[in-house]
Each structure stands twice: as structure tokens, then as C-alpha cells.
Amino acid sequence: MCCYRNQVRSVLAVLVLTAGCSSILGLDDDYAVRTDAGAGAVGAGGTSSGGGNDGGDAGRGGTAAGGSAGTGGLGGSSSGGAAGGGGGTAGSGGTGTVVVLFEDQFESGTLAAWTLGGPGDPWIASTSTPNAGAVAGRAVPTTTSDPASTMEAVVSTVGHTNIRLEYDRRLLGIDGADEFRAGWFNGVTWIYVEETGSASANDAAYVHRAFSLPPGAENEAGFAIRFECTAGAVSESCNVDGVIVTAGP
């Protein structure tokens, strides 16, 4: 009986000692040790037992032609909790810029930017049939020798893409024996974007024409534009204004 009592006292002493150590160490009854990481930072995604914050929005792309889209922010990772939020959305790409390679509104009163040719009376800067301003390019060739009067300008497109030609034109008294053409040169041959052919034309007002040219017009040192007018009577004329060549975006 004495030995049994001593064994009971020993067991009780161990239990008391264990409980005391548990209080001293500051452990919970189930001995679970938990570590909570800090909140995630915006932009890289944080670490958190409750999940990281969303990554920050990416920067926008450049404004120059060909600007690339920004990259989305990284999502957060976790430490003992759910995974962090997803990254931000990517920025938009650049919109590019239109470059004017050539422009003539004819308001200078000269055709200094052009080379004139043909057997007919040449193109002139005229005030007789103006468009938006006071002067326009005008041809009254008085011959049907095709092409009777030509007006052309060299416009290098080296380093440029997406070439576009625009102009306003007014044709007066043009019949089936006459001709109006507008075209461009690719370094080898002339390619026409407009020609009247056997059709007649007698415009009441200027007509705006715009053409996006094919890749052959791009990056070409010998690129040029030309207007041709063939008409036999003094009452027949070709009138051109607002000639513009642009590149991009």
C-alpha cells in the first residue's frame, strides 16, 4: 500500500510540473504554433495568411508608333494562408503619329515644288478656280496628245510605312477624248490611283480623294506623285488643290 501511494504522488508531481512549464513557455493547450506573414505590397503582390493584395496596374505603352503594351503586376504568394491576388491588367499599346511628308496648298502662288512636263500648255498656280484658299493648281493643255501636261514631285518615303496620298480635284468639261490621271512612282513604274479613261467629268465642286498606298510605296527614295491632264479645248481644265502625302501610324 505504501508503494502504491508513492507511485500516485510521482504521477501527480509530473502532471503539475508539465502544466507549469506549459504556462512558462506560453504555449496553447494544443501546442499549435502559427506564424502570420505581413500584408502584400501593391505592384508585386504581398504574402499574407489571408492572401496577398492584388498586384499593381502595369504602366501604359509608349505613344510613338509601335509602342508595346505594359506588363501586368505579379500576384502575391502565401505563407500559411490562401494565395495572393492576381496581377494588374496590362497597359495599352502606343497609338503612333502621322507624319506629313509632302503638302502643297498652292497658296504660295508658284509650282516650285513640282516638275512640269508634256507637250501641252503647262500646269500653273491659278486664282481662276480656287478651292478652300485663293490659289489652286490648274492645267488647260489645249491638246489631246496623251499625256498633254504633267506635274510631278519626288517625295522620299525612306524610313516610313503606311503611305497615304490625298488631294482635292475639280475637272471641268472633260469628255471621252480627254484624260485626268493621278498616280505614284515606286522607283520603277508609275501606278495610277485615279484615271477618267473614256468617262466624262464636269465637277460642280472639288472632290476629295484619299488613297492608302500598298507596301511598294514604303521606304522608297524614288517615290513620287504625279498629276496628268489631257484636254483639247480651252474650256476644258484639270484643277488640283490640297495635295498631301503622309506616313504612319
Side-chain angles (χ1 to χ4, degrees):
M1 175 64 74
C2 180
C3 293
Y4 176 76
R5 287 180 181 146
N6 290 337
Q7 290 175 352
V8 170
R9 290 192 185 99
S10 297
V11 171
L12 291 175
V14 169
L15 293 175
V16 170
L17 178 60
T18 301
C21 291
S22 178
S23 295
I24 292 171
L25 293 174
L27 300 177
D28 295 335
D29 290 343
D30 58 0
Y31 293 92
V33 180
R34 298 183 302 170
T35 302
D36 292 336
V42 174
T47 58
S48 171
S49 59
N53 292 334
D54 286 348
D57 289 341
R60 294 182 60 82
T63 57
S68 58
T71 304
L74 298 175
S77 59
S78 65
S79 176
T89 56
S92 60
T95 56
T97 303
V98 173
V99 178
V100 177
L101 303 180
F102 177 89
E103 180 174 8
D104 197 349
Q105 302 292 339
F106 299 95
E107 295 305 304
S108 67
T110 71
L111 299 182
W114 303 87
T115 299
L116 309 180
D121 292 340
W123 286 80
I124 61 172
S126 173
T127 59
S128 63
T129 313
N131 186 20
V135 185
R138 177 179 174 87
V140 185
T142 64
T143 179
T144 54
S145 179
D146 188 16
S149 300
T150 63
M151 177 175 69
E152 62 186 67
V154 176
V155 185
S156 174
T157 62
V158 172
H160 297 286
T161 58
N162 299 329
I163 309 303
R164 185 176 175 85
L165 169 63
E166 297 185 44
Y167 57 89
D168 300 317
R169 56 88 165 154
R170 184 179 182 186
L171 308 179
L172 298 176
I174 301 299
D175 55 38
D178 304 322
E179 181 72 73
F180 170 80
R181 295 189 186 96
W184 60 281
F185 188 65
N186 63 5
V188 178
T189 187
W190 287 99
I191 301 168
Y192 294 101
V193 293
E194 182 181 18
E195 47 190 329
T196 55
S198 60
S200 299
N202 192 37
D203 301 321
Y206 276 84
V207 178
H208 181 69
R209 305 293 283 162
F211 303 92
S212 294
L213 304 185
E218 301 173 350
N219 201 40
E220 176 55 57
F223 177 87
I225 57 175
R226 180 161 74 177
F227 296 95
E228 300 178 5
C229 184
T230 299
V234 294
S235 60
E236 300 169 337
S237 66
C238 304
N239 303 271
V240 173
D241 201 2
V243 181
I244 302 176
V245 178
T246 60

